[in-house]
Amino acid sequence: MKRPTTTKVCFPSATLCPLWLKIFLLLLLTFALASTIACAKGISSADATPAAPKSESPAPTPAPSEAAGPDTAPLPHIDSKRAFQYTREVTAFGPRYMGGENHKKLERYILDHLKGDQVEDDAFTADTVEGKFPVRNILAKFPGTKDGIIVILGHYDTVYPLRDSGFVGANEGGSSTAILLEYANQLRGGEAGKKRDGYSVWLVWTDGEEAVRHWTDTDSVYGARHLAEKWEKDGTLKKIKALMVMDMIGDADLDIIRATNGAPWLLDLIYTAAERGGYQSHFYALQGSIEDDHVPFVKRGVPCADVIDLDYGYNNVFWHSPQDTIDKLSPKSLEIVGDTILETIHMLDQR
Ligand SMILES: [Zn+2]
């Protein structure tokens, strides 16, 4: 679950306005204020351009990468069929909320796919408004020859308050778990023990991203907050070159939002990577400040990007709904995001 940092918008119903609608309205409001609205579904504009960053952001449109010289390396490609199959299998576990039985099954499923990799646990007990929960971030580290770390986060828990609603989170929780499993396949590559040619890449399946009751600063992103504190203390944060969050990236109708509470240069780099694959029409038509696993790291000065599609079905109707099912997703969307972020990693390696 994510919410914008401000929710000062007019609602059609003061009493029962769902959170997703607030987000959607805020996004629309952002367009109106910025006067740079792109063609969102159901809204047309004669001069559609990518959403411009808000006034405090320096670049008016997604800018070309700062990376020097043309990049002639072949574009990376994930195995999108395999990634989609992971999404299907993860979703088939059913609700996977913190503390639940299916959550434990999914932990084992993730670990089974990381055999032979350098895997670590970041496990602790979260004291929440709904009681104590075991929380377990799962890390897979792929060492590189360059000094520095690129971190990719994706949460695997589903929404606790929706545990009895039939919510299975194909996109919300499923797609992020799956794309990281596929990244692991891509990163482990050649011979065992051989370092990748570039920065170290750490994949983190975060736990407790979702609120257990209502989203607040203290009831959300439990795993990411714990990791950010830990990495601040042990000095890891200083080594992170970029941190990217994958969330809800499987929607067949893919619109990745420009999550404005990220590092503008990194958001632009992702856009440039998308352009290289011819995928740019799926990026940044919408923009807004999003609360997600990146926030604890943003607060500590880490360059972050939240890669998320919060336009899931008309008016975001499938978000946190029992209709968030596998039939709404497509392998192509996983491929678009998967290839783009692998290319972003490649471009980061060149810097
Ligand atoms: Zn999510």
Side-chain angles (χ1 to χ4, degrees):
M1 184 195 294
K2 339 281 160 302
R3 68 180 179 92
T5 48
T6 55
T7 53
K8 202 82 178 145
V9 285
C10 297
F11 303 113
S13 159
T15 50
L16 275 175
C17 181
L19 194 55
W20 61 262
L21 187 55
K22 293 180 189 176
I23 292 169
F24 191 75
L25 289 171
L26 181 82
L27 290 167
L28 290 180
L29 188 70
T30 308
F31 292 154
L33 290 174
S35 301
T36 55
I37 187 162
C39 272
K41 281 191 286 298
I43 305 163
S44 62
S45 168
D47 57 345
T49 55
K54 281 187 249 178
S55 53
E56 65 268 24
S57 304
T61 53
S65 157
E66 294 163 22
D71 193 340
T72 53
L75 289 172
H77 288 294
I78 66 158
D79 183 335
S80 58
K81 274 190 188 160
R82 181 168 56 187
F84 193 74
Q85 181 59 21
Y86 290 151
T87 313
R88 189 185 294 282
E89 289 168 5
V90 168
T91 307
F93 283 118
R96 307 170 299 281
Y97 51 87
M98 268 201 304
E101 247 339 281
N102 295 337
H103 187 287
K104 289 197 191 72
K105 287 181 194 164
L106 180 55
E107 289 172 45
R108 283 194 289 276
Y109 175 91
I110 294 169
L111 292 169
D112 281 348
H113 285 79
L114 300 174
K115 283 190 177 139
D117 296 331
Q118 189 180 328
V119 176
E120 286 177 23
D121 259 354
D122 173 42
F124 62 100
T125 302
D127 201 355
T128 81
V129 288
E130 294 288 342
K132 290 190 191 320
F133 288 89
V135 184
R136 183 182 191 184
N137 297 316
I138 299 171
L139 291 78
K141 298 182 173 180
F142 299 89
T145 52
K146 281 184 91 168
D147 193 20
I149 307 161
I150 297 167
V151 182
I152 315 285
L153 304 186
H155 75 93
Y156 70 98
D157 62 308
T158 54
V159 188
Y160 183 79
L162 299 179
R163 62 195 177 282
D164 298 321
S165 71
F167 175 76
V168 293
N171 201 19
E172 177 65 292
S175 65
S176 41
T177 308
I179 198 76
L180 261 68
L181 290 171
E182 177 55 19
Y183 286 152
N185 293 333
Q186 298 295 329
L187 290 164
R188 76 174 60 94
E191 339 149 20
K194 189 172 181 289
K195 289 184 175 179
R196 66 179 302 273
D197 188 18
Y199 293 115
S200 295
V201 179
W202 293 3
L203 303 177
V204 186
W205 287 261
T206 57
D207 196 5
E209 188 271 342
E210 303 286 3
V212 297
R213 194 177 290 171
H214 298 296
W215 188 280
T216 64
D217 286 351
T218 51
D219 183 11
S220 63
V221 297
Y222 292 94
R225 277 189 288 137
H226 189 264
L227 205 55
E229 277 170 32
K230 182 174 154 178
W231 283 353
E232 184 169 45
K233 283 181 196 144
D234 71 11
T236 300
L237 284 192
K238 291 194 186 78
K239 299 178 195 160
I240 299 177
K241 300 296 175 189
L243 182 148
M244 292 177 275
V245 172
M246 305 292 116
D247 204 356
M248 298 183 67
I249 43 81
D251 183 4
D253 184 8
L254 187 70
D255 307 290
I256 299 296
I257 286 175
R258 185 176 170 99
T260 50
N261 55 340
W265 69 264
L266 183 56
L267 302 178
D268 291 347
L269 193 68
I270 291 170
Y271 191 86
T272 303
E275 279 183 315
R276 291 206 67 211
Y279 298 140
Q280 66 270 34
S281 66
H282 298 282
F283 285 77
Y284 302 168
L286 304 167
Q287 68 169 359
S289 179
I290 307 288
E291 294 202 10
D292 205 346
D293 271 341
H294 62 309
V295 169
F297 298 93
V298 170
K299 283 179 180 165
R300 289 168 172 82
V302 176
C304 294
D306 188 19
V307 179
I308 183 167
D309 175 350
L310 254 182
D311 181 24
Y312 185 30
Y314 181 72
N315 277 2
N316 207 19
V317 286
F318 300 140
W319 179 66
H320 287 197
S321 138
Q323 278 85 45
D324 179 2
T325 46
I326 194 79
D327 55 295
K328 314 296 188 305
L329 276 50
S330 88
K332 185 66 189 174
S333 295
L334 297 176
E335 181 175 295
I336 289 166
V337 173
D339 292 0
T340 297
I341 298 307
L342 283 184
E343 175 61 10
T344 305
I345 292 171
H346 171 73
M347 292 165 84
L348 286 163
D349 285 337
Q350 314 303 309
R351 290 162 74 97

